[in-house]
Amino acid sequence: MASDQENSQDANAPDDTSEKEITRGITIMKSIIRDRDKAVTYNVNWNADNQLIGSNAAKLASYIGTLVRMHIPITATRWSNKELGSAKDKIWTEILRSFNIEDTTIRKKYILQLAGKRHRGWRTFLTNKYLKDKEKNFVEYDPEYPVKYAIFITEEEWVAFVDQRRDENFKKVSATNRERASNPTYAYKKGRLGYARLEEKILDETKSDATSLPPHVLWKEARVGKDGTVRDDVQHIYDECETLSQSISTAEDQENRSVLSRALNVPEYPGRVRGKGHGCTPTSLYKNPRRRNPSNQEVMETLQALQAQVLQLQKDNERYRCMEKCSSQLKETSEKASINCQNKFPEGISSCQLYLSSPTYRLVGKGKVHNTSGDLLHHRPLPDGHLKVSVDVVLDKDALLPIPDIVSETTLLRDAIGSFVAWPLDLIFIDDEVFAQGSQQLSQKIGSRQKKKRDLPVTSLPKKGAFVPRYQISLETLVDSSDMATAGAIRLLDMEEDIFGYSCTETIGKEDLEHIFRHQELGVGVIHTYIRFLYDNFMRGNDQLSNRFRFVSSSLVNKALICREPDSCREYLVKRFMASSTNNLYLWPYNSGCHWLLLAIDPLKEVVYFLNSIDGEWTNYPDMKQLVDTSIKVFRSQRQARVPRTKSSNITWIKVQCPLQRNGIDCGYFVMRFMREIINMNQIEIPITYFDEYKCAHYTRLQLEQIKEELCQYFIEKRLISI
């Protein structure tokens, strides 16, 4: 509650006592009026937090007090009363006539808020001066009309004001406030200087290049007496703030409670920043406004939109269930025609990669596939759907053979190096970029499709010596024969909670599939589908991989959302990081608006691996980097990790020398392959020069086609496309 001393801000001369100010008469700032008539105006300054500072700050504050007493009646109990609007506009207009202030909303708001403080101080001064005795108790007799202030107060206003102040409810509030303010724990000792001018004074004396000081530093300096001593309890609060500032991020400081409020163990009030003084708000201090609560109308509109989406999803789900009943026969036919077909492999001996699908889909070795007519394995016919391969390199030492060798009694792949084994056709991928044309039947089938379809992708044409995309051809055939052939058709793919930390449904449209067939730029639906493929085939059932690698949803964190809703992006990332119990590597395909890149984040070690297929720097994406850094700091604070102050902002970013693309459309395919290779290597730390097993300057077209083949095979196996 304001005191006589506070009201003395209306005086011209500083450092004067209340009694001397009262005896010298009423301050009406005649000098300003005279200068105004001479067309002389005053310049005022503002600090980085939009607070009033400079040599004319005190003069403006006093002039505001004079204008308030002239234009605002003492009976006005609420400064926010709309009836005071015209009077406030008058005050603002008068100030602009004498002081050079930008006529902006933010400046007007600051000045009028300061005027509100002066009005409350003026009413408090009158109450203490005329309605209370020396012990600050309300007097019983009728106080005399203050003739001294007749220029500001009419007799009718005075009578109404006295009645307001003698109201029992007001007396209770007054007594409570007086008791609370009578013995402050940490007394402010800078008089009329204020936090803003105190900060200005400190920065000038220290010749600092900084534009502002932390709130707890100002709070401490404001409680230093004239002798320069600091009380032990004040120093203790300051030291605790210094300790807390090492583990609490700026974002958390804004969104929850500031460092100073935490150390004092007091609540933080909205619209202000403790220790910074009048005019400093979370918006001006953090340059990041708090999100406003949506209106009732906005909530209802959002609810109606969600209800419409739910109804549409229910319809799509019902249609999907009906289609699923007819899919088993088609899948069996597709597998026979496009998977278990020996003629799709080059005749003779070719280098190949060997995969296993159980318990996870993974690369386990390299060797050579022998595709010759009438070939036998250890004098026995090969099982249906298998080819004979010789094992040259083993990448997974614990991998089991798909079919144990009963002749040599070998069950482990590592024991089969240099010998022949039977391997399933659909788990063999040729290393060479040259495939045989395939059977005459397959050629005729594809040729007939060319006549019916325009703009077929080049990769779908099995020319002599060219790669034959087996699963892409099968999937495209299914699409042509289903309702997905029409524009606007979609399929839904459930994404369970373990994948992104929340359950959702991914929408796959006909356009997404066309992008795959024609090798065009990919959307988030395709990227997320491939993540689901990696989860199902590599991580599901494998505790080591599922506990080591996690994914970040590109739908919840991307360029557009970071700019529009940074708070929600940060909250999601922190929530994902909080799921970490041990070291996890979070794979985040980031879409900058026109380019895909991959971030691999280890939040516990505070390391971010940056994989960019166009050789760009992370500094080219400042919004993304700031979000990641802030999220890691908030995560650090929430898990109560202590970091040396010298390293509190030292989050390690590592640019990985990954393969680079040679055109403008391959970034999505590169990101998918990066994720696959990281999981396949099963390493939390990514070498700066990339993994030796996959190190190359550029991915070949075949390496990208393998990713597309895996996607198309997954679409078929999940029965997402059915007739």
Side-chain angles (χ1 to χ4, degrees):
M1 184 171 290
S3 62
D4 294 9
Q5 183 179 0
E6 179 179 355
N7 190 65
S8 67
Q9 295 183 23
D10 300 326
N12 246 337
D15 300 327
D16 206 353
T17 64
S18 302
E19 295 166 13
K20 288 183 180 179
E21 290 173 352
I22 293 174
T23 57
R24 66 177 171 78
I26 304 172
T27 300
I28 58 176
M29 307 297 289
K30 291 182 180 179
S31 62
I32 294 180
I33 305 301
R34 288 193 294 266
D35 288 340
R36 185 190 66 192
D37 294 340
K38 297 176 183 178
V40 175
T41 57
Y42 305 95
N43 293 323
V44 294
N45 299 320
W46 306 85
N47 65 11
D49 298 322
N50 287 320
Q51 294 174 293
L52 189 63
I53 58 173
S55 57
N56 291 320
K59 180 174 289 192
L60 175 56
S62 298
Y63 187 51
I64 290 173
T66 298
L67 293 175
V68 165
R69 290 194 293 274
M70 286 182 176
H71 297 287
I72 307 296
I74 60 173
T75 54
T77 57
R78 295 182 62 85
W79 184 253
S80 59
N81 193 329
K82 294 183 179 179
E83 295 179 358
L84 300 178
S86 59
K88 292 178 182 178
D89 291 338
K90 180 65 175 177
I91 292 173
W92 177 240
T93 302
E94 289 294 322
I95 290 173
L96 291 179
R97 293 177 64 186
S98 298
F99 292 85
N100 296 321
I101 303 175
E102 303 95 326
D103 189 4
T104 60
T105 302
I106 186 173
R107 295 290 185 246
K108 183 178 181 181
K109 180 180 179 181
Y110 178 93
I111 294 298
L112 293 182
Q113 285 179 342
L114 187 57
K117 290 184 63 177
R118 293 292 174 267
H119 182 251
R120 291 190 296 273
W122 168 231
R123 284 161 50 89
T124 300
F125 166 75
L126 293 174
T127 302
N128 292 336
K129 178 69 176 177
Y130 295 98
L131 302 184
K132 292 184 179 181
D133 56 24
K134 294 182 180 180
E135 286 73 29
K136 301 300 180 183
N137 296 317
F138 282 91
V139 297
E140 297 297 332
Y141 56 84
D142 291 334
E144 61 178 299
Y145 169 64
V147 180
K148 179 178 180 179
Y149 300 105
I151 187 176
F152 303 131
I153 308 171
T154 66
E155 292 188 20
E156 293 78 8
E157 288 177 344
W158 177 251
V159 172
F161 175 72
V162 172
D163 290 340
Q164 289 176 355
R165 294 300 191 176
R166 282 184 167 177
D167 182 78
E168 292 300 323
N169 290 331
F170 175 79
K171 288 182 177 181
K172 291 179 181 179
V173 173
S174 177
T176 300
N177 291 340
R178 184 173 70 252
E179 181 180 358
R180 183 180 61 185
S182 61
N183 188 25
T185 306
Y186 310 99
Y188 178 85
K189 297 185 178 182
K190 295 301 177 182
R192 297 181 59 197
L193 188 61
Y195 282 105
R197 284 185 284 170
L198 173 62
E199 182 179 58
E200 179 188 23
K201 178 181 177 182
I202 295 173
L203 293 176
D204 289 343
E205 291 176 351
T206 58
K207 295 182 172 52
S208 173
D209 294 333
T211 57
S212 64
L213 297 173
H216 66 277
V217 174
L218 278 178
W219 180 88
K220 173 191 171 183
E221 293 298 326
R223 282 147 185 83
V224 177
K226 293 182 179 180
D227 57 357
T229 59
V230 182
R231 284 171 33 186
D232 292 341
D233 54 349
V234 172
Q235 185 64 43
H236 173 73
I237 294 297
Y238 174 81
D239 293 339
E240 188 171 348
C241 288
E242 286 289 291
T243 302
L244 286 173
S245 63
Q246 298 180 18
S247 60
I248 296 179
S249 67
T250 301
E252 187 178 4
D253 194 358
Q254 174 191 6
E255 292 295 332
N256 197 343
R257 294 167 61 200
S258 67
V259 167
L260 182 56
S261 296
R262 292 168 186 265
L264 292 171
N265 194 24
V266 292
E268 188 69 271
Y269 300 103
R272 54 162 280 185
V273 179
R274 187 180 298 276
K276 293 293 282 187
H278 170 71
C280 183
T281 64
T283 300
S284 63
L285 181 64
Y286 301 107
K287 306 297 186 293
N288 186 16
R290 297 175 184 266
R291 290 182 297 168
R292 67 174 182 87
N293 293 328
S295 64
N296 291 337
Q297 181 179 357
E298 291 173 335
V299 171
M300 292 303 299
E301 290 175 354
T302 303
L303 180 61
Q304 292 173 359
L306 290 175
Q307 289 174 340
Q309 292 179 14
V310 170
L311 290 175
Q312 184 62 41
L313 289 174
Q314 289 175 343
K315 293 179 182 179
D316 292 338
N317 188 44
E318 185 64 28
R319 186 174 61 176
Y320 173 76
R321 291 176 181 273
C322 293
M323 292 178 178
E324 193 177 30
K325 295 179 181 178
C326 306
S327 64
S328 57
Q329 183 177 359
L330 175 64
K331 181 177 185 297
E332 182 180 7
T333 303
S334 300
E335 289 178 345
K336 289 180 178 179
S338 63
I339 298 178
N340 296 327
C341 180
Q342 256 183 324
N343 292 328
K344 292 180 182 178
F345 286 90
E347 293 185 1
I349 302 175
S350 306
S351 298
C352 66
Q353 294 179 343
L354 305 176
Y355 286 78
L356 287 178
S357 59
S358 179
T360 59
Y361 193 93
R362 65 200 189 282
L363 175 66
V364 295
K366 297 181 179 181
K368 294 180 178 61
V369 58
H370 296 250
N371 186 23
T372 56
S373 178
D375 205 356
L376 301 176
L377 178 64
H378 304 311
H379 308 290
R380 296 169 181 260
L382 283 166
D384 291 338
H386 289 69
L387 281 178
K388 183 171 73 173
V389 300
S390 58
V391 181
D392 298 331
V393 178
V394 173
L395 300 178
D396 186 346
K397 64 179 181 179
D398 297 323
L400 297 174
L401 290 172
I403 298 178
D405 189 341
I406 59 175
V407 176
S408 60
E409 298 182 353
T410 301
T411 59
L412 293 174
L413 179 62
R414 67 183 183 216
D415 296 329
I417 293 178
S419 62
F420 294 99
V421 295
W423 209 271
L425 288 167
D426 57 339
L427 296 178
I428 302 173
F429 283 89
I430 302 302
D431 270 342
D432 299 330
E433 295 203 33
V434 178
F435 275 77
Q437 180 178 359
S439 66
Q440 184 67 25
Q441 180 181 0
L442 178 62
S443 300
Q444 292 173 353
K445 177 181 178 181
I446 296 174
S448 64
R449 289 179 55 231
Q450 309 306 318
K451 299 176 182 179
K452 299 178 181 179
K453 194 170 184 65
R454 296 177 299 170
D455 301 326
L456 269 172
V458 176
T459 54
S460 292
L461 297 172
K463 300 176 182 178
K464 183 177 181 180
F467 162 60
V468 179
R470 298 175 293 152
Y471 291 107
Q472 293 179 58
I473 293 172
S474 299
L475 181 61
E476 199 166 1
T477 302
L478 291 175
V479 170
D480 290 343
S481 304
S482 70
D483 65 318
M484 287 293 285
T486 61
I490 62 170
R491 288 293 185 269
L492 303 178
L493 178 64
D494 292 332
M495 309 292 285
E496 56 194 85
E497 185 176 355
D498 288 343
I499 299 176
F500 292 130
Y502 68 101
S503 57
C504 59
T505 303
E506 193 62 57
T507 302
I508 307 298
K510 179 178 183 294
E511 295 78 9
D512 293 315
L513 299 176
E514 292 291 345
H515 292 165
I516 299 173
F517 299 150
R518 286 162 173 71
H519 199 83
Q520 297 173 345
E521 296 179 7
L522 300 179
V524 66
V526 175
I527 301 294
H528 279 188
T529 300
Y530 192 75
I531 287 177
R532 174 65 190 268
F533 159 78
L534 293 175
Y535 181 81
D536 284 346
N537 292 281
F538 285 74
M539 300 165 63
R540 189 186 298 278
N542 187 325
D543 293 339
Q544 186 184 41
L545 289 178
S546 60
N547 291 332
R548 179 167 289 183
F549 299 101
R550 301 175 188 271
F551 299 100
V552 173
S553 171
S554 301
S555 298
L556 292 189
V557 194
N558 52 53
K559 171 68 174 179
L561 287 176
I562 292 175
C563 296
R564 189 171 67 249
E565 301 178 15
D567 294 341
S568 62
C569 294
R570 187 194 65 253
E571 291 170 3
Y572 169 67
L573 281 181
V574 173
K575 184 177 179 181
R576 284 300 283 147
F577 295 162
M578 289 300 292
S580 300
S581 56
T582 58
N583 281 100
N584 296 121
L585 198 63
Y586 286 83
L587 303 180
W588 172 21
Y590 173 70
N591 193 323
S592 66
C594 57
H595 174 63
W596 286 101
L597 56 87
L598 181 67
L599 296 180
I601 307 171
D602 186 341
L604 282 177
K605 291 185 178 179
E606 300 189 355
V607 175
V608 183
Y609 297 97
F610 181 78
L611 292 86
N612 191 351
S613 58
I614 59 173
D615 199 28
E617 302 291 338
W618 60 72
T619 53
N620 297 334
Y621 310 93
D623 296 331
M624 174 269 291
K625 184 180 185 302
Q626 181 181 6
L627 172 68
V628 174
D629 288 346
T630 302
S631 301
I632 291 177
K633 291 177 183 178
V634 175
F635 168 66
R636 177 202 303 163
S637 172
Q638 291 192 6
R639 66 187 177 91
Q640 299 180 345
R642 293 303 178 99
V643 178
R645 190 175 182 184
T646 56
K647 298 183 179 179
S648 60
S649 60
N650 227 5
I651 297 171
T652 303
W653 283 71
I654 298 175
K655 179 182 178 181
V656 179
Q657 299 173 19
C658 54
L660 302 179
Q661 64 188 77
R662 290 181 283 192
N663 56 37
I665 61 174
D666 280 348
C667 55
Y669 303 97
F670 272 65
V671 164
M672 291 190 293
R673 188 161 185 108
F674 290 157
M675 291 191 293
R676 189 189 195 287
E677 291 171 348
I678 290 171
I679 294 175
N680 191 57
M681 293 308 299
N682 195 12
Q683 295 181 20
I684 291 292
E685 297 182 1
I686 303 176
I688 296 180
T689 57
Y690 206 54
F691 303 109
D692 290 337
E693 290 81 351
Y694 300 108
K695 188 180 298 184
C696 58
H698 313 280
Y699 284 139
T700 64
R701 185 59 179 268
L702 176 61
Q703 288 175 302
L704 300 184
E705 290 293 338
Q706 289 175 344
I707 299 297
K708 293 166 62 175
E709 282 286 86
E710 290 176 335
L711 260 174
C712 294
Q713 180 183 4
Y714 188 69
F715 276 112
I716 294 172
E717 291 181 346
K718 293 296 291 185
R719 304 180 184 179
L720 290 177
I721 311 299
S722 57
I723 299 175

